Amino acid sequence: YGNFIDALRLYVRGGTGGMGYPHLGGEGGRGGDVWFVAQERTTLKSIKDRYPQKRFVAGTGANSSVRALKGEKGKDCEVHVPPGISVLCDDGKRIGELNAAGERFLAARGGLGGSLATNFVPCKGQRRIVQLDLKLIADVGLVGFPNAGKSSLLSKISHAKPEIANYAFTTIQPQLGKIMYADYKQISVADLPGLIEGAHANKGMGHKFLKHVERTKQLLLVVDVCGFQLSVKTQFRTAFETVLLLTKELELYKEELLTKPALLAINKMDLPSAKDNLSELMEQLHNPQGFLHLLEEEMIPANTLEFRDVIPISTHTGEGIEELKACIRKSISEEAEQENEEYRKKKLQLLQTS
């Protein structure tokens, strides 16, 4: 999976409390806490490189003494993590999330200082092993089989420089790019490793790919107009079959993914037979039920994706790229407006009920 790390296990321990002072009823200071703080330009790899032991222990509370009956609290330990992190317990249960820079999560609480309640004996801090699970946050996620032209598309619409080659699985780690518009509006796009049949069962990049799709606001399916074949040993799939297979993989992994707004980019329109293939594909997309009998039953998704726009493009000649950028912006704006409208309605209902 390259140098990109999207999961990391850490040991965290809160500080031990300070000793109490039985003779004068003094109270020891509380142990320090371990905090995860979301910060931009931080990666899980940088945490692993900087702290190879992957242990984070907070400071011990100060003992109570004649000079200071109330001991000072131990020093807190802050761990900077990238936004988009889910914090999981050792048993896999999610205990917290950090989605925006500046958000904080208490990973391990410090122990109480010695006092009358504890017979002046300090308590140890909370200790546990946690897993940080990163899911990329982007406005648009590029979804497609290997060699559909996702990386080429990202390099055309943004300033990102992903590795591009004419063989499957060029992209082995997620790439983030930003579309910059003339009025300085920015939309982030994630190019993710290519799906293959059986990805929902963790074949290929499997769950490592699909978990990043969960955090994107919209999907942009990229399909080769001439179809797709992974290798000589695998079956050839037409563009229509490719769309259905991608939908099926998303559905089997998590059905909610199909509720996201989706666009369809049909790539490689510069190839000789592209126009005939496109007209056939458009006919199949307008009436999918009429063509489902041609496919194996396990390929057919229970729910089909509703595409807001279908845009023919060519990353080689640049055809349709500007139209695609306009469609992405329009779709994002419409979705934001819809969310604002729903928020306004909820506020209005709350006011009416109160």
Side-chain angles (χ1 to χ4, degrees), residues 237-238 240-242 244-245 288 291-301:
R237 302 295 188 191
T238 64
F240 179 60
E241 288 174 336
T242 303
L244 289 181
L245 274 168
F291 296 91
L292 292 180
H293 66 278
L294 302 171
L295 311 172
E296 302 108 73
E297 203 171 312
E298 61 268 17
M299 275 178 63
I300 303 166

Side-chain angles (χ1 to χ4, degrees), residues 140 181 187 217-219 260-263 308-309 324-338:
V140 180
Y181 292 90
I187 290 175
K217 293 178 187 170
Q218 304 205 354
L219 305 178
K260 289 179 184 285
L263 299 169
R308 292 189 169 189
D309 280 298
L324 176 62
K325 284 164 75 172
C327 285
I328 291 172
R329 179 165 186 172
K330 182 181 161 209
S331 183
I332 292 281
S333 301
E334 282 174 2
E335 194 62 23
E337 189 55 45
Q338 199 176 326

